[in-house]
Amino acid sequence: MDLRKLIRDIPDYPKEGILFFDITPLLGDAEGFRKAIDLLAERFAEAKATKIVAAEARGFIFGAALAYKMGLGFVPVRKPGKLPYKTKSVSYDLEYGSDTLCMHEDALLRGEKVLVIDDLLATGGTLSGVIDLVEAFGAEIAGIGVVIELSFLNGKEQLHSYGCESILQIA
């Protein structure tokens, strides 16, 4: 199955000059969505992680589904003011601006092994921010996975020397 056919290209979104890769057709295709989750699960079958950490909003979709498939806990990473309990936070740069991410202060344990999952790796800003949060807890990154990697943006260089597994690479 060619999952790339289920990714829609949207020019000039969310800003002029940005080509947005829309995953909603993939999500709407039961076989395609299942295949994406199954491929990620296969890549991390031996990771020995206990939780999956994913940033809102599209990362939640893949992260929660993968956590269910693998029998792991799920930790949401959200924007400021969206989590009801005390949080740790980190600010980071995006390909078209900057942002801040937060995680509940009791979400991870020191030494706990986690997978970091997102829908897309572009410049690596969001994933780098999530990595910083995980490391602030003293937890260990057992792996990083994305559905789409925009390899021409070299986002892997921002991932603190961690590797990144991707289902689709767009050059």
Side-chain angles (χ1 to χ4, degrees):
M1 167 173 248
D2 184 0
L3 296 179
R4 177 62 176 102
K5 291 180 180 176
L6 297 172
I7 307 298
R8 181 174 24 223
D9 298 1
I10 309 286
D12 299 320
Y13 183 84
K15 292 183 177 182
E16 190 170 330
I18 301 290
L19 179 60
F20 184 82
F21 295 93
D22 180 14
I23 61 166
T24 57
L26 171 64
L27 298 175
D29 184 282
E31 184 181 349
F33 184 47
R34 183 173 28 256
K35 181 69 173 173
I37 297 303
D38 289 347
L39 287 169
L40 285 169
E42 288 170 16
R43 305 267 175 105
F44 296 111
E46 304 300 320
K48 297 184 178 148
T50 57
K51 291 182 181 163
I52 288 181
V53 176
E56 67 176 295
R58 294 177 308 273
F60 284 4
I61 297 165
F62 294 100
L66 184 60
Y68 175 79
K69 168 95 177 164
M70 296 181 73
L72 305 177
F74 177 76
V75 178
V77 177
R78 303 216 54 201
K79 295 183 184 201
K82 299 290 185 181
L83 290 169
Y85 189 61
K86 298 175 202 167
T87 62
K88 289 187 181 188
S89 66
V90 65
S91 294
Y92 63 97
D93 292 324
L94 288 166
E95 57 272 22
Y96 47 83
S98 63
D99 215 339
T100 300
L101 291 175
C102 305
M103 189 186 317
H104 278 150
E105 69 177 15
D106 62 353
L108 299 174
L109 301 173
R110 178 169 298 285
E112 188 167 25
K113 292 186 176 187
V114 303
L115 296 174
V116 176
I117 301 297
D118 207 348
D119 68 317
L120 180 125
L121 171 60
T123 62
T126 300
L127 283 171
S128 180
V130 174
I131 290 167
D132 288 345
L133 274 173
V134 169
E135 290 177 339
F137 283 87
E140 297 177 26
I141 305 289
I144 300 171
V146 297
V147 176
I148 304 166
E149 177 189 352
L150 304 181
S151 57
F152 62 93
L153 292 176
N154 301 314
K156 281 186 180 179
E157 295 174 6
Q158 303 302 315
L159 302 184
H160 307 242
S161 75
Y162 293 107
C164 181
E165 294 288 332
S166 55
I167 304 304
L168 297 171
Q169 297 82 32
I170 298 174

